[in-house]
Amino acid sequence: MTAGSGIYTGPVFDMAREQFHTVADTMGIPPGERDRLLYPKRAIAVSVPVHMDDGSEAVFQGYRVQHHLSLGPTKGGTRYSPKLDLGEVAALAVWMSWKCALCGLPYGGAKGGVTCDPYRLSRRELEAVSRRYMQEMIPFVGPHTDVMAPDLGTNEQVMAWFMDTYSMYQGKTVTEIVTGKPVAAGGTEGRREATGRGIAHLVGRAMERLRMPPAGATAIVQGFGNVGSVTAVALAGRGLRIVGVSDHTACYHDPKGLDVPALLRHVAAHGVLAGWSGQAACDPAALLTLPCDVLVPAAVERVITGSNAGALQCRILAEGANGPTTPDADRVLRARRDEVFVIPDILCNAGGVVVSYFEWVQDLQQFFWDEAEVLSRLHQVLDRAFNRVMARADQDHLPHRDAATAIGVQRVRDASKVRGLFP
Ligand code: NAD
């Protein structure tokens, strides 16, 4: 039996596995070397018992997967989502590895999370889940072992609770245990906006390459949380018209352009998009295939599939979410290469982990940079990664996803080869 095939199951891990083998085939990686590259080094599962507001006790399932340790500590987000399982967490950890390696960061990939619906927990319950999850993880994480960050369903506040809980057990403040913290608690300027601004920067690079002027171009963004909302603001700031947005509660479309600041105010007041405007409401299933220049899936995985990939009408597909495009859709998009320019997730949303790396470096040194420095260094790292992906895709006639993954896989492979197999 192949290593890990028994516990890493489900459609999201199947996607990560298929993407890896496609790239391993093009790179000529022999079968005997593949399991060590693909399967996670460690997977931790914990029970997270919590007192609920109604007086009952609930037990949530928590996970952390550390993919490989060849390049340094592991790094990755924490997801709170009702259907989260080990296979999904493992896939996200694998993608994190290729992403960090593509960007030249000294990390292996990790991911973690709790199977819960954060939208249904009170603030006190959310704090209790977060603190108990971190407490259960203390033996397995550390500033030089594994560093957490936010992801779907978590935010700066959750990172502050993680940092505080870890610090209480150490008897001192350890800001460098998590990234994506509020600036007031040792976070860095620019982290909250980093993923969305990075996406907008890379969309700008793609538009330059395609000789598309941003002024008057249109964009649709699926997901209006941290990544989606900041991306919408940053694209609008570059002159694009945001014609469609959605979250898990509502979906709006207006070819004349939506009022992004008004949408932000509504979400700040109500937490979700629902209730904003009856006039512009549209069918969420149709949103991704409406005409636009730039389509940004920035919510969950597997939304672009073999069934809708042929109907996409965008010129640029900027993957803000992790894993939004299935391998079936990739086969369709491969044939539509000259029509749809894909900025693959491990490149497109890498701004988040790049600025998380900057936050970790600043916390370790207790020496902080201003926002302009963070942004300029972010653009440097993303430009280098973008240029490498374009060069590799041109040189080997590869789709952008395969080129990006191949660069990441190669770096991990090189590191584990020179380090050897212990003992
Ligand atoms: P978030 O929890 O802040 O926001 C998620 C948004 O997606 C919410 O608006 C939610 O309503 C919406 N959503 C959920 N299900 C949906 C559905 N079926 N259809 C439409 N909208 C839906 O999460 P986030 O941090 O913005 O993360 C979004 C995606 O970006 C995830 O795939 C995550 O892994 C990825 N990502 C996040 C970061 C980061 O720094 N936060 C970095 C890299 C990648």
Side-chain angles (χ1 to χ4, degrees):
M1 187 196 261
T2 306
S5 61
I7 58 170
Y8 302 114
T9 56
V12 188
F13 195 81
D14 286 349
M15 249 178 85
R17 184 193 285 114
E18 185 171 341
Q19 289 169 351
F20 169 74
H21 283 296
T22 301
V23 165
D25 288 345
T26 65
M27 294 169 73
I29 299 178
E33 248 189 75
R34 295 188 185 190
D35 281 2
R36 201 170 155 217
L37 282 165
L38 175 64
Y39 287 104
K41 168 58 73 185
R42 294 186 192 124
I44 300 130
V46 293
S47 291
V48 181
V50 168
H51 290 295
M52 303 301 280
D53 290 350
D54 64 5
S56 65
E57 274 179 25
V59 180
F60 298 93
Q61 197 64 48
Y63 303 98
R64 187 79 186 162
V65 173
Q66 299 164 349
H67 177 227
H68 77 85
L69 311 175
S70 304
L71 286 165
T74 48
K75 181 88 193 74
T78 313
R79 173 170 286 201
Y80 289 177
S81 150
K83 295 206 182 108
L84 189 76
D85 61 24
L86 182 62
E88 180 178 327
V89 177
L92 290 159
V94 170
W95 288 327
M96 260 321 262
S97 282
W98 312 147
K99 186 188 303 183
C100 291
L102 167 66
C103 293
L105 308 183
Y107 295 134
K111 209 77 177 193
V114 178
T115 309
C116 67
D117 185 346
Y119 293 100
R120 287 170 166 266
L121 296 175
S122 69
R123 184 180 162 93
R124 195 206 60 77
E125 290 167 341
L126 189 69
E127 177 171 356
V129 167
S130 303
R131 287 190 182 275
R132 186 61 192 251
Y133 171 74
M134 174 46 110
Q135 188 271 327
E136 297 289 346
M137 285 295 155
I138 287 176
F140 310 106
V141 297
H144 294 283
T145 307
D146 183 15
V147 180
M148 296 181 183
D151 188 68
L152 196 76
T154 61
N155 56 21
E156 286 190 333
Q157 178 59 70
V158 172
M159 296 307 112
W161 289 325
F162 282 173
M163 189 275 276
D164 184 68
T165 303
Y166 187 86
S167 296
M168 289 298 115
Y169 278 87
Q170 307 301 315
K172 62 185 177 195
T173 296
V174 188
T175 51
E176 59 273 26
I177 183 62
V178 295
T179 60
K181 302 175 293 294
V183 174
T188 180
E189 298 290 344
R191 172 62 183 89
R192 190 191 311 147
E193 302 83 6
T195 309
R197 284 183 180 166
I199 293 168
H201 179 76
L202 292 167
V203 166
R205 291 295 314 269
M207 291 183 103
E208 269 166 36
R209 216 177 138 91
L210 297 169
R211 298 185 206 290
M212 290 168 68
T218 57
I220 289 177
V221 182
Q222 182 193 47
F224 210 70
N226 173 293
V227 178
S229 67
V230 175
T231 304
V233 171
L235 289 175
R238 286 169 179 264
L240 279 82
R241 199 162 76 241
I242 311 301
V243 296
V245 296
S246 71
D247 72 358
H248 70 289
T249 65
C251 177
Y252 302 111
H253 177 250
D254 184 347
K256 294 198 287 296
L258 297 163
D259 183 346
V260 175
L263 287 163
L264 291 174
R265 283 195 299 276
H266 182 86
V267 170
H270 305 282
V272 290
L273 285 174
W276 180 64
S277 156
Q279 266 180 348
C282 90
D283 172 14
L287 186 75
L288 299 177
T289 52
L290 290 170
C292 62
D293 294 301
V294 181
L295 177 65
V296 188
V300 293
E301 51 284 335
R302 295 165 41 77
V303 292
I304 298 171
T305 64
S307 326
N308 63 6
L312 296 186
Q313 300 194 58
C314 58
R315 180 69 187 91
I316 296 172
L317 173 61
E319 295 182 342
N322 286 305
T325 307
T326 66
D328 278 351
D330 270 337
R331 280 183 272 281
V332 175
L333 292 174
R334 216 160 279 166
R336 298 188 63 199
R337 220 150 140 177
D338 296 333
E339 296 162 39
V340 182
F341 184 101
V342 177
I343 313 178
D345 51 2
I346 62 168
L347 170 64
C348 193
N349 67 35
V353 69
V354 171
V355 177
S356 273
Y357 165 62
F358 296 161
E359 180 175 336
W360 180 71
V361 165
Q362 293 171 75
D363 283 339
L364 287 171
Q365 300 185 348
Q366 289 295 301
F367 180 73
F368 291 90
W369 314 343
D370 63 20
E371 191 174 346
E373 180 164 6
V374 169
L375 255 185
S376 123
R377 286 179 187 262
L378 169 64
H379 291 169
Q380 271 175 36
V381 176
L382 291 181
D383 283 340
R384 210 180 306 135
F386 181 86
N387 295 342
R388 276 197 204 128
V389 171
M390 293 304 122
R392 180 71 175 255
D394 290 346
Q395 178 197 305
D396 295 345
H397 306 291
L398 291 174
H400 295 163
R401 183 180 327 284
D402 296 8
T405 307
I407 296 168
V409 169
Q410 188 61 51
R411 182 155 181 252
V412 174
R413 189 182 183 208
D414 289 348
S416 59
K417 266 208 166 152
V418 287
R419 289 184 61 163
L421 179 57
F422 177 83

